[in-house]
Amino acid sequence: ADAYAEAALVGAVRQQLEGFVRLAVKCMAVGAAFSLCTAHDLELLICGSPDVGNFEELEANCTYANGYDKDSPSVKYLWQVVHSMSEAQRRKLLLFCTGCDRVPILGLKAL
């Protein structure tokens, strides 16, 4: 049963998967330092940090336009709501804003 499941789930796409991995490794290879990366390091580079991040960093690094600034009542209210959100809600906000529910490796200040 295990052999059948592996053949059905992995064997059917093995060639495509191997090609994807080869190309991904080639794109990420940045010299000798790349060989020092662990699987966890690669996951952080590709997926971002599993930590929901520090939204105070995001607030401090935001720029505003069209007459809004950090002291505008609607902006203040937005940050009040964001800071009161649960982790799940913050992840949904990140997903809405960035297309990913994980924080960039450099933190929210990098957005």
Side-chain angles (χ1 to χ4, degrees):
D2 288 338
Y4 175 77
E6 183 174 340
L9 297 173
V10 178
V13 294
R14 181 176 298 280
Q15 187 176 12
Q16 294 89 338
L17 187 59
E18 287 174 350
F20 172 79
V21 170
R22 267 194 309 278
L23 184 59
V25 168
K26 182 179 176 183
C27 289
M28 291 185 299
V30 291
F34 180 74
S35 64
L36 301 173
C37 290
T38 65
H40 178 70
D41 297 332
L42 294 177
E43 180 184 9
L44 284 175
L45 287 170
I46 294 168
C47 301
S49 174
D51 178 29
V52 75
N54 180 350
F55 276 74
E56 285 80 16
E57 278 184 1
L58 182 60
E59 180 180 6
N61 288 287
C62 276
T63 56
Y64 303 96
N66 299 322
Y68 291 97
D69 62 35
K70 66 180 179 75
D71 296 318
S72 299
S74 53
V75 171
K76 285 183 172 185
Y77 184 65
L78 167 73
W79 289 114
Q80 180 183 352
V81 170
V82 169
H83 293 307
S84 69
M85 289 178 168
S86 68
E87 180 177 332
Q89 291 170 320
R90 288 181 184 186
R91 288 193 184 283
K92 287 179 182 178
L93 179 62
L94 282 174
L95 181 62
F96 175 76
C97 294
T98 67
C100 182
D101 70 346
R102 293 184 127 196
V103 176
I105 195 165
L106 297 176
L108 291 174
K109 66 181 175 281
L111 291 179

